[in-house]
């Protein structure tokens, strides 16, 4: 693993998206992803996707920043597509209620329904990715916890997230250091070792990491108790911001998209699916 | 003085849940408002435990049995909870990484106010004010990674001061700070004391460094008992420090070597207050009798760095064109500012990181292609942070681990482990779990786990952080012993006494560059190097000036040689 | 029962740091399994350990936050169905909290059994019930596919949690000290 990697490659460019408060971004992210997750209408999905790609341009995210993620996602989607086809090649037919076969390969029939279902699903998965990336790359980690508290998550749970973000780099560095110091005492960690040995050896690194973390939990919770954490039912956040007109605009647009997605399903398609076959 | 004490221990005894004996015995102590108190004592004597009783971690977080009474501001602590106590006692813990819970400096300072539901605007205002007091107002949006050890310490200080408490408690605020930053820390604490009139307690091993500014009283703890409670002048004039194994100020040692009877009237508690008129002649005579020896190691070189440069992130250089040559059987210090790159250098030597440019040679041979494991056969590294090395729950297993991994037979392991545990003063704890050790004791476990492997070159990163004088002397004397047998020793340290005493030669780093490589005594008399590398002039130097001795360097070197001869006798 | 869901500062800190370890292991420390293209997630051993030591709330949040975060870092966005299932598994692991004597320094036969029964139930519910149902609900995946995936995941994760979790708990028990047991020699 690469210890030089950062958890959030948050870059503090100054764009409209960056300037929105963390709370706004979290709410918009949730509204838009829920819209996509609810709807199985490819028109809605593609519209949201186009919108989010536009937002990505707006927030000056470079392709190089997201290349690795895009590759991961494509691999995931490709595997999913292949497996789900072999498991239920007739699933599309059962959803859309018609059957238009256009080819047969090795005795398996290919139908337009299946194709349409799988394409829709592909985009349904893919559409949330740019939204997540925008959120991840433009939100200051400091604002994240207070935003969670802002949408109603209990402040203690929200603070646990803040602690995760605070200590992840520390733990990453510790892991790396333990890995090295174990080798220096004579541990063989090369890829050549046998499966069982490799398993045992990774434990030799994970165990000290966990035990030093358990000790650390004591010290950190002491430090927090000494400064009055969890003494009252609520807390305020140094990083929280008042919402302004821009936030209201962003929230309004996202809510509208969410309602449209819902409306299309309820009133036009009368189901979560858009069915072009009847 | 105000008759009503802020802190009052009477017949107070505490025993940890897992211990067979009490850790604190029959403590009786009164502290009055606005006093500034220093608490010293050997490692494991119960100083942190005493602090935990004050801030409520005992019994809130550490379980055990309490007898007797402890009153703070007139309230019996057993009737209070930790939140009520936290409004009266602010604690800066030793581990500044643990204390720093916020993602940025600003958030961390604001932490206590957030928990008090202070609204955002007044909170920011107050954070700015307090940050200004500790000179951190330009760093409010920085994360802990971008800060040096000293800056983290300042942040912790601000985070505690923001909550208007009456009593401030510092548990080893100086460990791991470079000498100049340590000095600044003491000055900041003193300024807060003067401006706010708060009651201040400092727990610290580095007595002389704390005494850089006034303290009202010094309390000495040994084996869980208070054995002295007096002012600094009386303390250094007594024999208590030697008896309990605590390092007395260096200039006091020099006075004693010169045959001067140190009395309370000499006001020897601080070098600034020292009355030298009675001792000038004695010092001059003694200076005439000692002469600096010549230290020239002409043996072949064992470890060489040639133009080594390194960066972690490919952007900011951490080490730039480092050159040096270490000879077989040498004992060398590497010193310099927090963040200068000392630990990084040691990691390069062990192959934990790979140099970007330049070469590292072992006996003239490039070791670029040697793996970590191969290098470890030659070079043993004790890392700065003990938690990064410890991997077993029990002390014995931890020390034996390296031998076991190397396939040494169990019957040979036992005597070897027992021997190093003895050297490191850990023999009484051989069956204990590591989790029941104090910080200094843990650090010694890591030293033992490397010593047991008998490396040819030994690198110790801050071996004495959090150690008391007696244990550190024992460890250092053992190092000297194996050094005489031919082991090369490299010490990375912020402790100027240690550098002077044990290593004839010092390499100084500042900003990732080597700025000096010369005799240790010379380093500490070069004003420019001192300023650039955040070091501190030794008090011996000041003493020599007070006694009218021109050549301070000679005096310092003479002192060291004299001390060595005493020890070798 | 009430104690099971008690939350104090220690629980929160354990959650935060536990989730950080979970994230790290989830991304980097997978032990390759004999079946190609799959691996044992050591992370579930950690969530099982933390859940047993700190309770169901910590367990649930650790796996939920950890899984969501590592998905976000790797794929740009969490796959909610599996993230929620992870959270459910951690929640159920937490029922081992206070049911074993690990804090008193003992983790033997009966405790190991209790822990593993709970852990297997947790994995079964999370991966054979919750994850597939959510996959069907959100993404309309074919049922035969998601249930096959679920059963595989349940088996793999039960092995990770069982082996690694048990080993960690045994090691942890060894560090616990009994009342009045420490004295200098
Ligand atoms: N949590 C604990 N459980 C049991 N024993 C403990 C615990 N913490 C400390 N002790 C024991 O109590 C004694 C005093 O420890 P304490 O941490 O107060 O020492 P200290 O004077 O602060 O030492 P140092 O200078 O090394 O920090 C030690 O012998 C230690 O082993
Ligand atoms: N793993 C790491 N990744 C990135 N930067 C690092 C890493 N370790 C150290 N640094 C940075 O490299 C610089 C040198 O650090 P190093 O630990 O070598 O300093 P040091 O001289 O040992 O300081 P100290 O006296 O405080 O221990 C610092 O600015 C530090 O922030
Ligand atoms: Mg201590
Ligand atoms: Mg260092």
């Amino acid at each position: 693993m690469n210890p030089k990697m950062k958890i959030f490659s948050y870059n503090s460019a100054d764009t409209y998206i960056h300037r929105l408060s963390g709370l706004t971004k979290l709410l918009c992210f949730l509204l838009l992803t829920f819209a996509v997750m609810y709807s199985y209408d490819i028109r809605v999905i593609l519209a949201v996707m186009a919108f989010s790609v536009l937002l990505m341009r707006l927030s000056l995210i470079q392709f190089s920043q997201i290349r690795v993620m895009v590759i991961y996602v494509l691999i995931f989607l490709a595997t999913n597509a292949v497996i789900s086809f072999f498991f239920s090649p007739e699933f599309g037919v059962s959803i859309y209620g018609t059957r238009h076969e256009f080819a047969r390969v090795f005795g398996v029939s290919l139908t337009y329904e299946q194709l349409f279902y799988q394409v829709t699903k592909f985009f349904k998965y893919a559409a949330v990715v740019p939204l997540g990336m925008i959120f991840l790359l433009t939100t200051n980690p400091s604002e994240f916890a207070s935003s969670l508290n802002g949408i109603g998550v209990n402040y203690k749970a929200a603070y646990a997230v803040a602690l995760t973000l605070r200590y992840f780099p520390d733990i990453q560095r510790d892991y790396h250091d333990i890995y090295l110091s174990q080798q220096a005492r004579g541990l063989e960690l090369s890829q050549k070792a046998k499966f069982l040995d490799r398993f045992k050896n990774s434990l030799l690194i994970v165990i000290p990491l966990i035990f030093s973390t358990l000790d650390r939990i004591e010290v950190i919770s002491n430090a927090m108790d000494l400064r009055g954490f969890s003494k009252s039912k609520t807390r305020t956040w140094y990083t929280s911001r008042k919402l302004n007109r821009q936030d209201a605009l962003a929230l309004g647009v996202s809510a509208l998209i969410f309602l449209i997605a819902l409306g299309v399903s309820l009133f036009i398609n009368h189901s979560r699916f858009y069915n072009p076959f009847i | 003085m105000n008759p009503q004490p802020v802190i009052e221990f009477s017949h107070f005894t505490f025993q940890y849940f897992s211990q067979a004996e009490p850790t604190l015995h029959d403590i009786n102590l009164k502290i009055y408002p606005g006093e500034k108190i220093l608490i010293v004592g050997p490692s494991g004597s119960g100083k942190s435990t005493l602090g935990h009783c004050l801030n409520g971690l005992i019994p809130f977080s550490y379980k055990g049995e309490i007898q007797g009474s402890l009153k703070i501001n007139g309230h019996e602590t057993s009737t209070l909870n930790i939140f009520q106590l936290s409004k009266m006692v602010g604690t800066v813990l030793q581990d500044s990484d643990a204390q720093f819970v916020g993602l940025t400096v600003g958030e961390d300072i604001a932490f206590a106010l957030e928990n008090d539901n202070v609204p955002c605007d007044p909170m920011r205002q107050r954070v700015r004010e307090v940050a200004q007091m500790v000179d951190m107002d330009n760093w409010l949006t920085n994360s802990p990674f971008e800060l040096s050890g000293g800056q983290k310490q300042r942040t912790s200080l601000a985070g505690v001061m923001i909550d208007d408490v009456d009593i401030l408690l510092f548990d080893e605020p100086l460990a791991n700070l470079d000498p100049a930053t340590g000095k600044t820390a003491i000055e900041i604490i003193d300024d807060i004391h003067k401006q706010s009139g708060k009651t201040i307690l400092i727990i610290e091993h580095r007595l002389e460094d704390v005494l850089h500014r006034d303290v009202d009283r010094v309390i000495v703890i040994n084996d869980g008992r208070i054995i002295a409670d007096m002012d600094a002048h009386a303390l250094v004039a007594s024999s208590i420090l030697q008896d309990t194994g605590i390092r007395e100020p260096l200039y006091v040692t020099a006075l004693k070597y010169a045959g001067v009877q140190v009395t309370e009237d000499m006001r020897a508690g601080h070098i600034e207050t020292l009355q030298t008129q009675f001792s000038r002649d004695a010092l001059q005579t003694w200076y005439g009798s000692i002469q600096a020896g010549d230290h020239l190691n002409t043996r072949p070189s064992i470890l060489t760095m040639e133009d080594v440069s390194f960066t972690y992130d490919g952007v900011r250089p951490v080490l730039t064109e480092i050159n040096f040559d270490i000879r077989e059987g040498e004992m060398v210090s590497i010193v310099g500012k927090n963040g200068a790159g000392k630990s990084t250098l040691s990691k390069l030597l062990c192959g934990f990181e790979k140099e970007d440019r330049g070469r590292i040679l072992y006996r003239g041979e490039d070791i670029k292609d040697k793996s970590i494991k191969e290098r470890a056969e030659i070079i043993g590294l004790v890392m700065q942070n003990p938690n990064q090395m410890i991997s077993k729950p029990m002390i014995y297993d931890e020390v034996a681990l390296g031998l076991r991994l190397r396939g040494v037979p169990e019957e040979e392991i036992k005597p070897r482990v027992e021997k190093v545990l003895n050297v490191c003063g850990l023999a009484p704890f051989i069956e204990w779990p590591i989790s029941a050790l104090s910080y200094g004791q843990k650090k010694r476990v890591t030293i033992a786990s490397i010593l047991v492997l008998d490396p040819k070159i030994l690198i110790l990163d801050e071996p004495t952080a959090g150690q008391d004088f007696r244990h550190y002397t024992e460890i250092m004397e053992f190092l000297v012993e194996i050094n005489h047998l031919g082991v090369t020793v490299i010490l990375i340290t912020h402790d100027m006494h240690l550098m002077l005493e044990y290593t004839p030669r010092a390499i100084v780093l500042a900003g990732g560059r080597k700025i000096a490589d010369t005799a240790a005594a010379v380093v500490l008399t070069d004003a420019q190097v001192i300023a650039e590398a955040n070091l501190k002039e030794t008090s011996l130097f000041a003493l020599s000036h007070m006694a009218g001795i021109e050549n301070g360097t000679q005096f310092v070197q003479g002192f060291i040689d004299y001390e060595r001869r005493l020890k070798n006798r | 029962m009430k104690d099971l869901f008690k939350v104090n500062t220690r629980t929160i800190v354990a959650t935060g740091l536990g989730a950080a370890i979970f994230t790290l292991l989830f991304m980097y420390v997978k032990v390759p399994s004999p079946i190609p293209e799959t691996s044992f997630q050591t992370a579930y051993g950690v969530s099982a350990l933390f859940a047993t030591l700190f309770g169901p709330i910590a367990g649930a949040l650790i796996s939920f936050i950890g899984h969501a975060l590592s998905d976000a870092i790797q794929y740009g966005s969490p796959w909610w169905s599996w993230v929620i299932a992870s959270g459910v598994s951690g929640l159920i692991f937490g029922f081992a909290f206070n049911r074993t004597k690990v804090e008193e320094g003992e983790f033997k036969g009966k405790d190991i059994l209790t822990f593993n029964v709970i852990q297997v139930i947790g994995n079964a519910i999370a991966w054979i019930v919750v994850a597939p149902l959510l996959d069907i609900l959100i993404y309309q995946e074919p049922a035969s596919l998601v249930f096959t995936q679920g059963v595989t995941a349940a088996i793999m994760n039960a092995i990770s949690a069982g082996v690694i979790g048990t080993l960690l708990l045994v090691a942890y028990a060894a560090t616990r000290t009994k009342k009045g047991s420490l004295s200098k020699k």
Side-chain angles (χ1 to χ4, degrees):
Chain A
M1 71 176 247
N2 177 10
K4 294 176 191 181
M5 196 193 88
K6 271 218 199 125
I7 184 167
F8 280 5
S9 12
Y10 162 69
N11 59 348
S12 48
D14 189 29
T15 70
Y16 173 75
I17 310 274
H18 283 84
R19 277 192 301 271
L20 291 175
S21 99
L23 180 58
T24 310
K25 272 181 277 196
L26 183 60
L27 280 169
C28 294
F29 169 71
L30 290 177
L31 283 169
L32 293 177
T33 40
F34 276 59
V36 176
M37 287 200 322
Y38 178 73
S39 175
Y40 232 99
D41 185 330
I42 195 161
R43 296 167 301 182
V44 173
I45 293 172
L46 284 178
V48 174
M49 194 160 170
F51 179 62
S52 54
V53 169
L54 187 81
L55 291 180
M56 221 154 159
R57 297 295 290 277
L58 208 68
S59 52
L60 300 179
I61 293 174
Q62 307 294 321
F63 183 69
S64 63
Q65 281 176 281
I66 58 171
R67 200 180 56 225
V68 183
M69 293 184 198
V70 170
I71 292 172
Y72 262 117
V73 171
L74 286 179
I75 293 174
F76 171 79
L77 289 179
T79 336
N80 180 275
V82 173
I83 303 181
S84 77
F85 178 74
F86 281 110
F87 262 87
S88 314
E90 295 288 310
F91 199 57
V93 174
S94 71
I95 290 176
Y96 297 108
T98 53
R99 192 161 199 289
H100 299 83
E101 186 176 318
F102 65 89
R104 279 185 89 84
V105 187
F106 304 121
V108 186
S109 61
L110 301 181
T111 60
Y112 282 118
E113 283 78 6
Q114 181 70 8
L115 185 68
F116 186 67
Y117 156 72
Q118 290 208 246
V119 168
T120 309
K121 193 170 74 173
F122 179 92
F123 282 109
K124 194 173 154 77
Y125 275 120
V128 292
V129 172
L131 294 170
M133 289 176 184
I134 296 170
F135 181 67
L136 214 61
L137 295 174
T138 64
T139 306
N140 185 341
S142 297
E143 272 184 57
F144 186 56
S146 63
S147 318
L148 280 178
N149 191 206
I151 62 166
V153 174
N154 177 296
Y155 82 82
K156 292 180 186 170
Y159 208 81
V161 177
L163 285 171
T164 309
L165 298 179
R166 159 73 181 84
Y167 284 99
F168 183 79
D170 278 25
I171 284 180
Q172 203 173 11
R173 189 183 292 191
D174 283 357
Y175 178 83
H176 187 63
D177 286 346
I178 293 171
Y179 171 78
L180 296 171
S181 83
Q182 292 288 351
Q183 267 176 293
R185 295 234 222 132
L187 188 67
E188 185 60 69
L189 284 166
S190 77
Q191 298 289 314
K192 275 171 258 144
K194 278 206 285 302
F195 165 70
L196 209 64
D197 289 340
R198 256 159 73 192
F199 174 73
K200 256 172 39 195
N201 290 345
S202 21
L203 274 188
L204 275 177
I205 301 176
V206 171
I207 289 179
L209 181 70
I210 290 169
F211 282 91
S212 69
T213 306
L214 286 173
D215 281 348
R216 207 132 152 210
I217 289 171
E218 286 304 308
V219 192
I220 296 170
S221 56
N222 285 345
M224 284 170 54
D225 274 332
L226 288 176
R227 289 158 80 191
F229 184 76
S230 85
K231 68 173 153 191
S232 45
K233 291 237 177 322
T234 54
R235 90 196 285 274
T236 48
W237 303 80
Y238 178 73
T239 50
S240 62
R241 264 195 269 165
K242 284 211 187 70
L243 302 190
N244 56 22
R245 296 248 312 268
Q246 299 191 327
D247 292 302
L249 177 68
L251 282 171
V253 171
S254 308
L256 195 66
I257 293 176
F258 179 71
L259 290 176
I260 291 175
L262 224 60
V264 168
S265 297
L266 289 180
F267 302 114
I268 301 181
N269 297 335
H270 301 292
S271 114
R272 281 174 69 190
F273 293 93
Y274 160 57
N275 192 342
F277 299 100
I278 37 175
Chain B
M1 202 173 267
N2 195 325
Q4 166 77 10
V6 268
I7 297 172
E8 186 174 8
F9 284 94
S10 51
H11 301 292
F12 186 89
T13 297
F14 175 74
Q15 179 170 356
Y16 280 106
F17 172 80
S18 59
Q19 295 282 358
E21 297 273 310
T23 296
L24 295 176
H25 298 271
D26 196 30
I27 302 284
N28 288 295
L29 178 65
K30 286 194 178 101
I31 293 170
Y32 296 93
E35 271 195 306
K36 186 174 169 201
I37 309 275
L38 167 63
I39 299 175
V40 295
S43 171
S45 59
K47 305 179 296 297
S48 300
T49 307
L50 188 80
H52 292 162
C53 294
L54 287 174
N55 58 33
L57 288 182
I58 289 176
F60 191 80
S61 172
Y62 299 103
K63 300 287 172 250
E65 207 173 304
I66 296 174
Q67 275 158 27
S69 112
L70 166 58
K71 283 189 189 141
I72 295 184
N73 280 337
H75 304 285
E76 190 61 52
T77 52
S78 55
T79 64
L80 302 174
N81 63 31
I82 195 163
F83 301 131
Q84 289 167 314
L85 272 168
S86 76
K87 285 277 154 228
M88 300 191 272
V89 185
T91 313
V92 179
L93 296 171
Q94 172 177 1
D95 186 344
S96 57
D97 267 334
Q99 178 104 13
F100 203 129
V101 291
L103 277 156
T104 59
V105 171
E107 285 167 75
D108 189 65
I109 297 178
F111 188 75
L113 297 187
E114 292 180 329
N115 295 330
D116 263 339
N117 282 307
V118 175
C120 229
D121 291 327
M123 170 150 65
R124 293 206 182 151
Q125 174 66 26
R126 181 101 181 92
V127 166
R128 253 193 309 274
E129 283 166 21
V130 178
Q132 237 154 28
M133 282 172 77
V134 294
D135 207 10
M136 284 297 291
D137 44 332
N138 290 326
W139 295 84
L140 289 178
T141 54
N142 288 78
S143 72
F145 287 102
E146 297 155 335
L147 303 181
S148 73
Q151 289 172 322
K152 280 189 202 160
Q153 204 91 41
R154 283 167 198 251
T155 308
S156 316
L157 208 61
V160 169
M161 273 170 25
I162 201 160
D163 217 7
D164 203 13
V165 292
D166 305 327
I167 304 165
L168 285 178
L169 172 66
F170 300 89
D171 195 349
E172 305 210 20
L174 304 184
N176 288 319
L177 289 190
D178 65 48
T181 310
K183 192 169 155 185
T184 319
I186 290 299
E187 284 163 5
I188 294 175
I189 293 173
D190 195 52
D191 292 343
I192 294 168
H193 180 234
K194 294 223 173 77
Q195 284 163 22
S196 64
K198 293 183 201 297
T199 310
I200 294 197
L201 281 87
I202 306 172
I203 298 173
E204 191 41 77
H205 286 289
R206 284 158 67 174
L207 175 71
E208 180 173 341
D209 290 339
V210 180
L211 293 180
H212 167 59
R213 288 287 178 93
D214 260 338
V215 298
D216 294 306
R217 281 189 286 157
V218 185
I219 289 163
V220 184
I221 297 192
N222 194 16
D223 247 342
R225 292 186 168 80
I226 292 182
I227 56 163
D229 177 355
M230 51 180 71
D231 72 12
H233 304 307
L235 181 69
V236 298
S238 73
S239 67
I240 294 167
L241 291 177
Q242 283 113 308
D243 296 346
T244 44
I246 299 165
R247 175 56 120 165
E248 61 188 3
L250 264 195
Y251 58 89
V252 175
T253 315
L255 286 170
K256 288 182 180 166
Y257 286 162
V260 178
Q261 173 80 31
V262 179
T263 61
E264 231 183 298
D265 308 334
M266 286 174 64
R267 305 181 51 76
H270 312 278
I271 182 113
E272 293 84 1
T273 58
L274 178 68
Q275 309 291 310
T276 35
Q277 61 270 35
F278 316 108
S279 49
R280 190 167 294 156
D281 295 342
L283 277 171
Q284 283 184 352
T285 322
W286 181 64
Y287 174 60
S289 75
I290 53 172
Q291 73 281 31
D294 229 6
H295 308 274
L296 214 56
N297 186 321
T298 51
R299 286 205 266 169
S301 74
I302 188 163
L303 206 53
T304 313
M305 271 202 172
E306 281 180 0
D307 290 322
V308 171
S309 299
F310 176 74
T311 150
Y312 280 104
D313 51 9
V315 185
R316 201 170 50 94
V318 173
L319 291 172
T320 319
E321 288 168 17
I322 303 286
N323 278 295
F324 61 73
D325 186 33
I326 290 171
R327 289 170 187 283
E328 213 178 306
E330 250 194 312
M331 208 148 162
V332 187
S333 302
I334 299 180
V335 298
K337 220 180 180 143
N338 285 124
K342 303 180 296 296
S343 301
T344 306
L345 188 86
S346 69
K347 289 182 184 167
L348 287 180
L349 289 174
C350 295
F352 289 6
E353 302 285 351
K354 278 271 182 289
E355 59 277 8
D356 297 332
R357 261 172 291 122
R359 302 199 300 161
I360 301 176
L361 310 176
Y362 171 68
R363 295 192 199 280
E365 190 190 319
D366 197 331
I367 52 172
K368 196 181 199 84
D369 299 324
K370 283 210 187 334
S371 72
I372 296 176
K373 200 180 153 204
E374 286 164 332
R375 291 191 198 198
E377 312 268 320
I378 314 165
I379 308 172
L381 169 64
V382 180
M383 303 212 294
Q384 185 164 10
N385 180 352
N387 296 328
Q388 284 165 2
M389 293 187 61
I390 292 175
S391 56
K392 293 277 167 187
M394 307 303 287
I395 294 176
Y396 182 91
D397 296 333
E398 176 63 27
V399 179
L401 176 68
L403 293 175
R404 286 184 181 150
L405 283 172
R406 285 174 194 197
V408 177
E410 204 63 32
E411 62 275 11
E412 190 185 321
I413 291 179
K414 193 153 191 281
R416 279 172 75 176
V417 171
E418 279 171 0
K419 176 162 179 266
V420 286
L421 285 179
N422 243 328
V423 168
C424 296
L426 292 167
F429 313 108
I430 193 159
E431 277 156 17
W432 287 27
I434 289 178
S435 58
L437 297 182
S438 77
Y439 183 82
Q441 289 166 333
K442 266 192 207 163
K443 180 92 198 185
R444 273 183 270 146
V445 171
T446 62
I447 296 177
S449 69
I450 294 298
L451 280 183
V452 79
L453 296 176
D454 279 337
K456 293 212 177 42
I457 304 171
L458 194 57
I459 307 175
L460 299 110
D461 201 345
E462 305 286 355
T464 59
Q467 303 296 328
D468 63 76
F469 185 52
R470 177 168 298 148
H471 284 112
Y472 117 38
T473 311
E474 269 165 24
I475 293 172
M476 289 312 299
E477 288 306 317
F478 180 74
L479 291 180
V480 170
E481 210 176 284
I482 60 172
N483 178 244
H484 285 319
L485 294 176
V487 177
T488 309
V489 180
I490 303 174
L491 294 177
I492 297 175
T493 185
H494 288 306
D495 185 338
M496 297 294 109
H497 302 339
L498 183 82
M499 169 184 89
L500 280 176
E501 218 178 315
Y502 291 98
T503 60
R505 173 178 160 203
I507 295 171
V508 187
L509 298 186
R513 290 178 183 277
K514 189 177 91 171
I515 58 165
D517 180 354
T518 173
V522 176
V523 167
L524 276 198
T525 51
D526 183 331
Q528 201 187 335
V529 170
I530 288 181
E532 219 178 313
N534 260 8
L535 305 180
K536 205 177 71 178
E537 208 173 64
T538 141
S539 58
L540 290 174
F541 202 59
L543 182 72
S544 71
H545 279 292
M546 288 167 114
I549 295 165
E550 280 295 301
N551 193 337
T553 316
Q554 276 283 327
F555 181 79
V556 174
Q557 188 66 57
F559 172 88
I560 298 160
D561 293 343
Y562 180 84
E563 195 155 55
R564 270 259 67 89
R565 283 199 295 277
L566 272 189
K567 281 197 178 129
N568 287 345
R569 204 180 298 143
Chain C
M1 223 25 208
K2 205 158 157 260
D3 256 13
L4 207 56
F5 292 97
K6 212 177 72 189
V7 172
N8 54 26
T9 310
R10 229 173 116 243
T11 326
I12 296 303
V13 178
T15 304
L17 271 68
I21 297 191
F22 190 98
T23 311
L24 184 86
L25 299 189
F26 202 81
M27 292 196 292
Y28 302 118
V29 193
K30 305 169 192 167
V31 180
S33 86
I35 313 169
E37 293 293 298
T38 53
S39 54
F40 293 101
Q41 282 293 2
T42 50
Y44 289 104
V46 172
S47 67
L49 168 79
F50 276 73
T52 309
L53 298 182
F54 299 100
I57 304 263
L61 287 175
I62 285 173
S63 347
F64 183 86
I65 299 170
H67 197 147
L69 199 62
S70 49
D71 266 5
I73 296 170
Q74 285 179 300
Y75 301 106
S77 181
W79 302 125
W80 292 112
S81 50
W82 300 348
V83 170
I84 292 171
S86 264
V88 170
S89 74
L91 179 82
I92 299 173
F93 296 163
F95 284 86
F97 178 56
N98 281 347
R99 283 225 165 78
T100 63
K101 290 205 283 289
V102 66
E103 290 290 352
E104 287 113 71
E106 249 180 72
F107 197 70
K108 297 213 189 74
K110 192 166 153 281
D111 295 321
I112 296 184
L113 190 70
T114 314
F115 165 74
N116 277 297
V117 167
I118 291 174
Q119 165 286 104
V120 168
I121 295 176
N123 277 311
I125 294 181
W127 302 110
I128 306 180
V129 181
V130 178
L133 286 184
L134 286 174
D135 265 345
I136 293 173
L137 200 70
I138 301 175
Y139 299 107
Q140 294 288 330
E141 294 279 8
S144 58
L145 168 63
V146 288
F147 283 107
T148 317
Q149 277 179 338
V151 170
T152 323
I155 294 172
M156 306 275 288
N157 291 340
I159 295 176
S160 307
V163 175
I164 297 170
T166 307
L167 285 175
L168 288 174
L169 282 161
V170 169
Y172 178 80
T175 66
R176 295 281 88 189
T177 40
K178 300 210 171 54
K179 183 167 171 33
S181 64
L182 298 180
S183 55
K184 296 184 197 175
K185 273 223 208 138

